[in-house]
Amino acid sequence: MEQFTPGQVAEKTGFSLDTLRYYERIGLLDDIARNSGGQRVFTEDDVAWLRILRCLRETGMPIQRMVRYAELARGGDETVAERLEVLREHDRDIDDKIAHLRVEQDHIRAKIANYQRNLSQRRESQTSPA
């Protein structure tokens, strides 16, 4: 199995080295191996897990819920139902955020339309003979 340095993992996942250390400290990363010099060594599985964490974080999952999800994931098959519920709850939160963003987007689009009308009216008044 291929192994990666922290720098390579940061490049592959978009997480900073500080974030990787933080995630390990709070329990989002578990059992990260170390080489003989004490440097962290990541596996392909670690990178795949970090990609899941990236998805959860970028979709707004709170860190505490991510930690809970990580704890459940380490719990094996008997926690699948609980993990499913955590993800379903997050999915509902995403739907709520999208709905809220659509309302805000409608507001912005109305403002854009107003400005466009205003500019068009100004241009028309400037080109009309007096």
Side-chain angles (χ1 to χ4, degrees), residues 99-118:
H100 177 76
L101 285 171
R102 289 285 179 217
V103 168
E104 297 300 340
Q105 185 179 41
D106 288 345
H107 184 197
I108 289 168
R109 286 179 174 172
K111 193 59 123 173
I112 289 169
N114 183 45
Y115 287 143
Q116 286 176 327
R117 275 192 305 277
N118 186 302

Side-chain angles (χ1 to χ4, degrees), residues 14-130:
F15 287 120
S16 69
L17 294 173
D18 286 340
T19 298
L20 293 174
R21 284 189 289 272
Y22 173 68
Y23 279 9
E24 188 174 13
R25 190 173 72 247
I26 66 172
L28 285 174
L29 291 173
D30 190 44
D31 293 331
I32 302 300
R34 293 185 183 260
N35 63 20
S36 59
Q39 184 183 37
R40 290 171 183 81
V41 178
F42 293 85
T43 65
E44 293 169 4
D45 288 343
D46 295 326
V47 172
W49 175 248
L50 282 162
R51 287 188 174 129
I52 292 167
L53 294 179
R54 163 71 61 202
C55 173
L56 297 176
R57 193 68 192 129
E58 286 188 356
T59 55
M61 183 180 274
I63 292 287
Q64 292 301 57
R65 193 181 302 167
M66 289 172 63
V67 169
R68 176 68 180 139
Y69 181 75
E71 290 167 351
L72 291 170
R74 286 189 288 273
D77 288 344
E78 53 273 359
T79 67
V80 169
E82 289 174 90
R83 282 183 271 162
L84 181 61
E85 185 50 39
V86 168
L87 292 177
R88 283 181 174 154
E89 182 180 349
H90 183 58
D91 186 55
R92 287 189 298 271
D93 289 349
I94 292 169
D95 281 339
D96 291 346
K97 287 176 187 171
I98 289 170
H100 177 76
L101 285 171
R102 289 285 179 217
V103 168
E104 297 300 340
Q105 185 179 41
D106 288 345
H107 184 197
I108 289 168
R109 286 179 174 172
K111 193 59 123 173
I112 289 169
N114 183 45
Y115 287 143
Q116 286 176 327
R117 275 192 305 277
N118 186 302
L119 282 174
S120 294
Q121 289 169 355
R122 268 199 237 164
R123 286 184 193 126
E124 286 176 13
S125 69
Q126 290 172 353
T127 59
S128 298

